[in-house]
Amino acid sequence: MRTSHTTTGQTARPQTSGTERSATEPSGSEPSAVDVGPRPGGWFLSRAGAYVALTKPRVIELLLVTTVPTMILANDGMPSFWLILTTLIGGAGAAGSANAFNMWWDRDIDQVMNRTKKRPMATGEITPRAGLVFASILGLLSLTWFALVINWAAMWLTLAAIAIYVVGYTMILKRRTPQNIVWGGIAGCMPVFIGWASVTGELSWAALALFGIIFFWTPPHYWPLSIKFKKDYANANVPMLPVVSDDKRVAAEMVGYTLAMIACSLLLTPLAGMSWVYTAVAAALGAWFLWATIAMLRRAQGKASGKLGAMKVFHASITYLSLLFVAVAVDVFLPF
């Protein structure tokens, strides 16, 4: 059993929730005769919101954005609404399970970091045991869902995604190596494999190209966020690359990963038979995002004025990936 430590060396434990309030008394000289307590509906909504927060809904949104275009490409047209819906339900459940496991394991460092200290298990609003049970049930339900409703190939890929994120990234890599997000990011690439397998029951070279796009996109997407919260990660002893290296090296590696990402996006054209429209959009988006990373590198080197602008690159990365996968989906329906 792990014991967690704060930066002062004392054992860090979840604190008792401060969200529960005693019943208020009406105005006037006489106190209320009956202690009505908190409203049941308010308590239920608060607790339900805490469990939803364990799943990191905003992270799930980005994962699912890549799934539907992948399914459209794999089907060479719009799959059935039922198949899309069931795949998204299963994918959301699996991602939510992995994220909840992540919060359960990282609750000690979440208490140290300003960015995460209000997470439900860091505050004690949800106990570690309850969080672990929730993550386990959600994971088992999602795997069962894929096996019974979709196919076994998608189920095994989903299991691999959960294992890579929970065991590979959260438990092994995150606290041990600056390359944690690179290899741990494989889990974030798995939705394209799962979406493809949900349609075809197998994988293909085109699916591997989509996988490569997200794999090489992950470092230039996540490292800018790590730069912004560098002190948080340093206080929690998490060796993110921006913590152990200077901004120049981080920005230079971001440029390299971006070039590899662009190559994968263009490789999709011959592998999946994409039209010149997709190719032009992929090239334009790639050039735009590459310039954003190069501009950040120039600022890190002192060759351009202004602040580092890491968060501009972070937001640009989200725009890039979203628009690229929209282009993937639209290209399928073009008449040429």
Side-chain angles (χ1 to χ4, degrees), residues 34 61 157 309:
V34 179
E61 289 175 12
L157 289 167

Side-chain angles (χ1 to χ4, degrees), residues 216-285:
F216 291 114
W217 167 86
T218 300
H221 163 68
Y222 198 83
W223 281 337
L225 191 66
S226 301
I227 290 174
K228 178 177 176 61
F229 296 102
K230 183 187 300 187
K231 291 182 179 179
D232 264 2
Y233 285 114
N235 290 337
N237 295 317
V238 177
M240 290 293 180
L241 186 64
V243 174
V244 300
S245 302
D246 59 33
D247 292 339
K248 290 186 289 185
R249 179 187 169 185
V250 175
E253 291 202 21
M254 287 170 56
V255 171
Y257 279 108
T258 299
L259 289 170
M261 176 195 72
I262 294 171
C264 287
S265 71
L266 297 177
L267 188 60
L268 186 64
T269 295
L271 292 177
M274 310 299 285
S275 75
W276 66 267
V277 175
Y278 164 80
T279 306
V281 171
L285 286 172

Side-chain angles (χ1 to χ4, degrees), residues 6-120:
T6 63
T7 54
T8 61
Q10 296 176 337
T11 302
R13 300 181 182 276
Q15 300 299 314
T16 303
S17 172
T19 59
E20 296 182 1
R21 295 175 299 176
S22 59
T24 57
E25 295 181 353
S27 58
S29 57
E30 294 292 330
S32 175
V34 179
D35 185 355
V36 295
R39 295 182 179 180
W43 177 89
F44 175 80
L45 292 176
S46 175
R47 185 54 57 91
Y51 278 103
V52 170
L54 284 182
T55 67
K56 301 183 185 178
R58 296 187 66 181
V59 175
I60 294 176
E61 289 175 12
L62 191 59
L63 295 177
L64 299 184
V65 161
T66 63
T67 303
V68 175
T70 297
M71 296 178 69
I72 293 173
L73 181 60
N75 195 64
D76 196 24
M78 186 65 71
S80 70
F81 175 77
W82 173 249
L83 181 59
I84 293 176
L85 179 62
T86 53
T87 301
L88 293 182
I89 290 173
S97 169
N99 290 330
F101 275 121
N102 172 267
M103 286 198 193
W104 168 75
W105 184 264
D106 280 348
R107 62 190 185 276
D108 56 337
I109 61 176
D110 281 350
Q111 291 174 325
V112 176
M113 298 174 62
N114 288 325
R115 184 172 69 92
T116 59
K117 65 183 181 182
K118 293 184 179 180
R119 286 177 173 175

